[in-house]
Structures are given as C-alpha cells and as structure tokens.
Amino acid sequence: MTEHPDFTALRVERREDRVVVELHRPEARNAINARMIDELHRVCAEMEASPRPLLLTGHGTVFAGGADIAELRERGREEALAGINSRLFERLARLPAPTVAAVDGFALGGGAELSYACDLRIATPEAVFAQPEPGLGIIAGAGACWRLKELVGTSVAKQVLLGGMRLDAETALRHGLVAEIVPAAELRERAHALIDRMAASSALALRMTKTVLDADGPHPLADDLAQAVLFESADKHDRMTRFLERKKR
C-alpha cells in the first residue's frame, strides 16, 4: 500500500475507483485512538469531496481490538458529549459511496462499531464481533446500541450488548451481519471483487440508493448523553484501571 506521509495510524491506498484504508497500529491490535480518529476524519473528508467506494480493513490478523482504553479512561462528560467516536462512525456511515469492511480476527468494542458503520462486511472464519463495554463500566456508545439492532435484530443485539455474547463468523453470517465468509488469504481479493461489482453500477444510482436506504436512521445524541454520565463514574475509571494493570502483568 502507498502510505500518506502524514498518516501514522492508517495506511491508505488511493485508486481511481476506490480507496483502501488499513487500520495500522500493530503494537496495540489496531486499537482506535485519537490519532486514528483524526486520520479517519481526513479520509472521510477526501471521500466526501471525491466519492468512491471505500474498503476498510485491519493490519495483520485483527481488525480492531476496540478503543484505546488508556485514552478512554481519561475521557469525561465533555468528551462523551462531543461524540469523539460516534461522530466519526456516523460520518463514515453517511459517506456518499458504498463502504465495505473486511474483517479478520477480533472486531471488539469500537472496532466492531466501526465495522457496523460500513455498508457491508465480509469476514474470515476467525472473525469475532463483541461488545465488552459494560464490563468496563460504559455503554457501547458509538452506534452498537441502535445500529447492531438494525443489523441483526433486537434479540441478538441484546444477547451481545447485555449478555456478552460474541458473534463468531458463522453466527454473524447466520444473522446477516456479514455477507460472506472467506479464507483469510483471500479476504482482500474477495473484498475487491465485491467493490468491482459496485464499480460496474452507476455511481449516482448507488449514491441515491444508499441515501434512501439510510433515511430516518440514527440517534447518536442518546449515545453521547448516556456515555457522558458513565464517563464520570468512579466504576468506569476503576474498571479501566484494573484492565490496564492486568495488561502490564
């Protein structure tokens, strides 16, 4: 991939008919931090100015291992109300051209929510989607509480969000969260084949179709209000501290 010199958390390849973005923080399982959020906003701005299909994937054998907990622990009410992650994911969801997430390995927490914000997902047999946020004293506040319900239905969404169920690739396929399961070695090739099919259609027709499909959708303010309360709780801080301390052992 060609890498923009100003990007450190992403690798970006620009083609005439698509853009390929790889989440690239191998030292942190591609965890989503402030730098990655900023760089993804820059990608979105580019895609808004010059609409093309987007392929989003992760470096190595993980899509994204959630948000950066060390950063998340220090966020308070004001950061929650700013919707740092949720506003980006909503911007991604509203891009005028179709988006595809190619998921290998873990898509946890904010990483799963990032994939939900894409129009389509394909996965390897090793893919796992999960929302561990309540165990850290917060909600899945960047779209999972309403977007996952739209994707897989209320019952399955509650099993994931309240019951802590992980969706492996077969379960995700069965409930329509992913379009297909492909071998890891073929993941990007098959994702590009999907975008090839899109590229054969009218770009304007796809844009209008997406606009109509996505009308009357989300409620990100509710996410931000709930998260604002939880970000101020001692329980959230303590749980994230214990998580970070366990990682040091």
Side-chain angles (χ1 to χ4, degrees), residues 144-145 148-150 152-163:
C145 287
L148 185 59
K149 179 173 69 173
E150 295 175 354
V152 301
T154 300
S155 178
V156 175
K158 286 186 174 182
Q159 291 176 60
V160 173
L161 291 160
L162 302 179

Side-chain angles (χ1 to χ4, degrees), residues 2 12 32 39 51 57 62 110 115 134-135 163 166 187 195 210 219 249:
T2 56
V12 179
I32 300 168
E39 292 180 6
T57 191
V62 62
S115 77
R166 293 183 169 195
L187 180 63
I195 292 178
K210 180 173 178 177
H219 322 285
R249 295 173 190 166

Side-chain angles (χ1 to χ4, degrees), residues 1-2 11-22 52-58 98-103 120-123 180 182-201:
M1 282 188 177
T2 56
R11 289 182 172 176
V12 179
E13 179 188 1
R14 297 170 179 84
R15 302 185 185 182
E16 184 177 351
D17 63 348
R18 73 198 63 184
V19 173
V20 182
V21 173
E22 178 188 272
R52 285 164 288 172
L54 171 68
L55 170 56
L56 183 64
T57 191
T99 55
V100 176
V103 179
L120 296 168
R121 286 150 296 281
I122 64 173
E180 61 177 331
V182 303
E186 300 175 17
L187 180 63
R188 296 198 187 194
E189 177 185 350
R190 297 285 281 274
H192 279 295
L194 176 56
I195 292 178
D196 288 342
R197 295 200 296 273
M198 294 175 179
S201 297

